[in-house]
Short mmCIF file of all heavy atoms in Angstrom, two decimals:
data_model
loop_
_atom_site.label_atom_id
_atom_site.label_comp_id
_atom_site.label_asym_id
_atom_site.label_seq_id
_atom_site.Cartn_x
_atom_site.Cartn_y
_atom_site.Cartn_z
N LEU A 39 148.18 150.31 89.61
CA LEU A 39 146.96 149.48 89.86
C LEU A 39 145.71 149.84 89.15
O LEU A 39 144.77 149.06 88.87
CB LEU A 39 146.65 149.53 91.41
CG LEU A 39 147.65 148.86 92.35
CD1 LEU A 39 147.19 149.04 93.77
CD2 LEU A 39 147.78 147.35 92.08
N VAL A 40 145.62 151.14 88.68
CA VAL A 40 144.45 151.58 88.05
C VAL A 40 144.28 150.90 86.69
O VAL A 40 145.08 150.94 85.85
CB VAL A 40 144.45 153.18 87.90
CG1 VAL A 40 143.32 153.63 86.97
CG2 VAL A 40 144.42 153.86 89.22
N HIS A 41 143.09 150.34 86.57
CA HIS A 41 142.62 149.73 85.33
C HIS A 41 141.14 149.59 85.38
O HIS A 41 140.58 148.53 85.74
CB HIS A 41 143.28 148.42 85.15
CG HIS A 41 142.96 147.75 83.78
ND1 HIS A 41 143.52 148.24 82.61
CD2 HIS A 41 142.17 146.80 83.46
CE1 HIS A 41 143.05 147.52 81.61
NE2 HIS A 41 142.17 146.63 82.11
N PRO A 42 140.41 150.67 85.09
CA PRO A 42 138.90 150.65 85.20
C PRO A 42 138.26 149.57 84.36
O PRO A 42 138.57 149.36 83.18
CB PRO A 42 138.44 152.03 84.71
CG PRO A 42 139.73 152.89 84.87
CD PRO A 42 140.88 151.93 84.62
N ASP A 43 137.31 148.83 84.98
CA ASP A 43 136.57 147.81 84.29
C ASP A 43 135.27 147.64 85.04
O ASP A 43 135.04 148.19 86.10
CB ASP A 43 137.32 146.51 84.18
CG ASP A 43 137.86 145.98 85.48
OD1 ASP A 43 137.21 146.23 86.50
OD2 ASP A 43 138.82 145.30 85.51
N ARG A 44 134.39 146.84 84.47
CA ARG A 44 133.05 146.64 85.01
C ARG A 44 133.13 145.94 86.39
O ARG A 44 132.36 146.19 87.35
CB ARG A 44 132.22 145.81 84.03
CG ARG A 44 131.89 146.52 82.78
CD ARG A 44 130.76 147.52 83.04
NE ARG A 44 130.30 148.14 81.76
CZ ARG A 44 129.42 147.62 81.01
NH1 ARG A 44 128.83 146.39 81.30
NH2 ARG A 44 128.96 148.23 79.89
N PHE A 45 134.04 144.93 86.51
CA PHE A 45 134.14 144.21 87.73
C PHE A 45 134.56 145.07 88.92
O PHE A 45 134.06 144.96 90.00
CB PHE A 45 135.07 143.01 87.55
CG PHE A 45 135.19 142.13 88.78
CD1 PHE A 45 134.04 141.42 89.29
CD2 PHE A 45 136.31 141.95 89.44
CE1 PHE A 45 134.14 140.64 90.35
CE2 PHE A 45 136.47 141.12 90.55
CZ PHE A 45 135.31 140.46 91.08
N SER A 46 135.56 145.90 88.73
CA SER A 46 136.04 146.81 89.74
C SER A 46 134.95 147.75 90.15
O SER A 46 134.86 148.14 91.32
CB SER A 46 137.35 147.47 89.36
OG SER A 46 137.08 148.33 88.21
N GLU A 47 134.19 148.22 89.20
CA GLU A 47 132.98 149.13 89.52
C GLU A 47 131.97 148.42 90.42
O GLU A 47 131.50 149.00 91.33
CB GLU A 47 132.40 149.67 88.20
CG GLU A 47 131.32 150.67 88.42
CD GLU A 47 130.78 151.25 87.15
OE1 GLU A 47 131.37 150.91 86.07
OE2 GLU A 47 129.76 152.00 87.17
N PHE A 48 131.69 147.15 90.09
CA PHE A 48 130.82 146.36 90.83
C PHE A 48 131.27 146.25 92.24
O PHE A 48 130.46 146.39 93.23
CB PHE A 48 130.60 144.98 90.23
CG PHE A 48 129.85 144.01 91.07
CD1 PHE A 48 128.52 144.15 91.23
CD2 PHE A 48 130.54 143.03 91.72
CE1 PHE A 48 127.87 143.20 92.05
CE2 PHE A 48 129.90 142.09 92.56
CZ PHE A 48 128.51 142.20 92.75
N LEU A 49 132.61 145.93 92.43
CA LEU A 49 133.10 145.72 93.79
C LEU A 49 133.06 147.06 94.57
O LEU A 49 132.64 147.03 95.72
CB LEU A 49 134.54 145.28 93.75
CG LEU A 49 134.76 143.80 93.15
CD1 LEU A 49 136.24 143.56 93.09
CD2 LEU A 49 134.14 142.85 94.11
N ALA A 50 133.43 148.16 93.86
CA ALA A 50 133.32 149.42 94.56
C ALA A 50 131.89 149.82 95.04
O ALA A 50 131.76 150.44 96.11
CB ALA A 50 133.92 150.54 93.71
N ASP A 51 130.96 149.40 94.19
CA ASP A 51 129.56 149.78 94.57
C ASP A 51 129.04 149.00 95.80
O ASP A 51 128.03 149.45 96.35
CB ASP A 51 128.63 149.42 93.38
CG ASP A 51 128.78 150.49 92.22
OD1 ASP A 51 129.40 151.57 92.44
OD2 ASP A 51 128.36 150.21 91.14
N LEU A 52 129.72 147.97 96.20
CA LEU A 52 129.33 147.24 97.43
C LEU A 52 129.58 148.08 98.65
O LEU A 52 129.07 147.79 99.69
CB LEU A 52 130.14 145.92 97.52
CG LEU A 52 129.79 144.92 96.45
CD1 LEU A 52 130.63 143.70 96.73
CD2 LEU A 52 128.32 144.50 96.48
N GLY A 53 130.35 149.19 98.46
CA GLY A 53 130.57 150.12 99.59
C GLY A 53 129.53 151.27 99.59
O GLY A 53 129.65 152.17 100.54
N ASN A 54 128.64 151.32 98.66
CA ASN A 54 127.56 152.29 98.73
C ASN A 54 126.72 152.10 99.96
O ASN A 54 126.42 151.03 100.31
CB ASN A 54 126.71 152.28 97.47
CG ASN A 54 127.38 152.77 96.23
OD1 ASN A 54 128.41 153.55 96.38
ND2 ASN A 54 127.04 152.33 95.03
N ALA A 55 126.23 153.26 100.50
CA ALA A 55 125.37 153.10 101.68
C ALA A 55 124.05 152.41 101.29
O ALA A 55 123.50 151.73 102.12
CB ALA A 55 124.99 154.54 102.15
N GLN A 56 123.59 152.54 100.02
CA GLN A 56 122.34 151.91 99.61
C GLN A 56 122.47 150.36 99.61
O GLN A 56 121.49 149.64 99.67
CB GLN A 56 121.96 152.36 98.18
CG GLN A 56 121.60 153.83 98.11
CD GLN A 56 122.82 154.69 97.92
OE1 GLN A 56 123.99 154.26 98.14
NE2 GLN A 56 122.64 155.89 97.33
#
Side-chain angles (χ1 to χ4, degrees):
L39 293 176
V40 169
H41 184 74
D43 53 31
R44 293 284 185 87
F45 183 62
S46 61
E47 183 175 354
F48 167 77
L49 291 176
D51 286 343
L52 294 177
N54 288 337
Q56 297 86 339

